[in-house]
Amino acid sequence: LSYDFFVVASYGKIIPQKILDIPRLGTLNVHPSLLPKFRGPDPLRAQILADEKDVGVTIMLIDAGVDHGPIVAQEKVLVEIWPPRAPELERVLGSAGGALLARIIPDFVQGKIKPTEQDHTKATFTKKVEKKNGELDLSADAYKNFLKIRAYDGWPGTYFLATRNGKQFRVIVKDAEYADGKLTLTRVLPEGGKEMSYEDFLRGEK
């Protein structure tokens, strides 16, 4: 069969070169960061963790490297409330990426866009997030903890360890606020219990 191009979005596996070579114009990838920054499996959460307010989307041609191929189009995206929760940033950048892709396809197919090589010396890389990454140290930097709570909202979530009657247990953070250099937990879910306000949880600890 004959294809002009393929499009890949939110696909976390390496695609074999024999597949990438099928379309005559190559395979486009919609990536939720301003490449070459934040390459790899989890750019959304990594940008929130890094407090990177300069966010955007990139349309690139896939090559043998991870998010390494030449850039076809790129666009910055304004996020009004920072830091956002990860699902919200995913929604905003996903919508922007889809719109950018739709706009550039006609010119791309007609050969009016010349892909530009990335500046690989400026590349940064993200890691796959695991459930254990969600543990909070409430004695650590308040703003960094807030970024972590926002970045890991939805999955893997954040939690801290508490001890009651000599037994250690997890307390999942459901919501929090940050103001004037202070992190305030507002809603928590103790392991094996029900969601409650953080104030109620602290009263139960006394």
Side-chain angles (χ1 to χ4, degrees), residues 8 66 80 125 161 169 179 190:
V8 176
V66 176
E80 294 184 356
F125 297 87
L161 298 176
F169 61 101

Side-chain angles (χ1 to χ4, degrees), residues 13 15 23 49 56 59 61 65 68 75 79-80 106 116 121 124 135 139 142 147 149-151 157 175 185 190:
K13 298 181 180 180
I15 300 174
L49 286 173
I59 311 297
L61 280 168
H68 177 277
E75 185 174 82
V79 178
E80 294 184 356
T116 305
T121 64
T124 61
E135 183 176 352
S139 65
L147 290 173
I149 291 168
R150 287 298 176 95
D175 206 357
L185 304 185

